Amino acid sequence: MLKALLTDVDGTITDSSRRIDTGAIECIRSLVDDGIEVVLASGNTSCFMDALCKMAGTKGTFIAENGGVYRIGYTGTLRITGDQGVCRTALETVQAHYRKKGIELELYNPTYRHADLAFARTVPVEEVQQVLTGQPVQVIDTGYAIHLQSEGVSKGTALVALARDMGLSPQDFFAIGDGINDAQMLAWAGRGVTIANAHPATKAAASDVMEEGYGKGFVQAVKKYLPYLRAR
């Protein structure tokens, strides 16, 4: 039996315009009311995730910054697993490269990030990867931003650490996601499912692909696998 639900946010419980799918929120609240732990996972900041957890109605456990940060409950200690120092060095390299071309990167909430750094997708991700060849960072294109993350950190590694701190195993989690940054998370969970709009690599890592996309696909997945979920 699966004991907790772990879900990505953008593209998974939203629609194609990044608006929260109300059906997905109703589904999450129903699970929480039944005593099932729901964990939100995103590339966004911890403060954003804290607010989203409150609005969605979960108990406050989340993974943020593509696995670089996680927290258990609203009063839990913020755990930082990423190394922002190497990301900052990498960002300076990228900024210097583009400033020579007269391009200034649009940073996303650098003040509120603890592990990774992110900027707008206004430059080619392949070029960013080439510029950073040899540096100990990952360049992650989530489809919403380009993230610089230290090597070996992902939503999957955060799942392992989070599960340990919760007294669970990654195999106890039912995971749903759509982005390439969700692939490892889905592969390592007890059951990893994706939705119609998912990246091909994510579909390859998943054990099942829903016919519906975005928030409707999330609801379809939860309904299909609800018999396998039970409260701890």
Side-chain angles (χ1 to χ4, degrees), residues 101-125:
K101 298 184 174 186
I103 299 172
E104 194 68 34
L105 299 181
E106 180 188 350
L107 302 185
Y108 286 161
N109 306 307
T111 305
Y112 301 104
R113 291 186 176 273
H114 302 279
D116 77 353
L117 291 167
F119 50 91
R121 299 172 72 247
T122 54
V123 295
V125 66

Side-chain angles (χ1 to χ4, degrees), residues 117-136:
L117 291 167
F119 50 91
R121 299 172 72 247
T122 54
V123 295
V125 66
E126 296 82 6
E127 185 175 359
V128 175
Q129 291 170 330
Q130 185 176 13
V131 169
L132 294 177
T133 299
Q135 292 204 33

Side-chain angles (χ1 to χ4, degrees), residues 5-9 12 174-178 182 185-186 191-195 210 217-219 221-222:
L5 171 67
L6 172 61
T7 180
D8 170 55
V9 177
T12 301
F174 173 40
I176 308 174
D178 74 297
D182 297 321
M185 176 182 86
L186 300 188
R191 176 75 64 171
V193 173
T194 192
I195 51 186
M210 298 298 102
F218 169 85
V219 173
V222 172

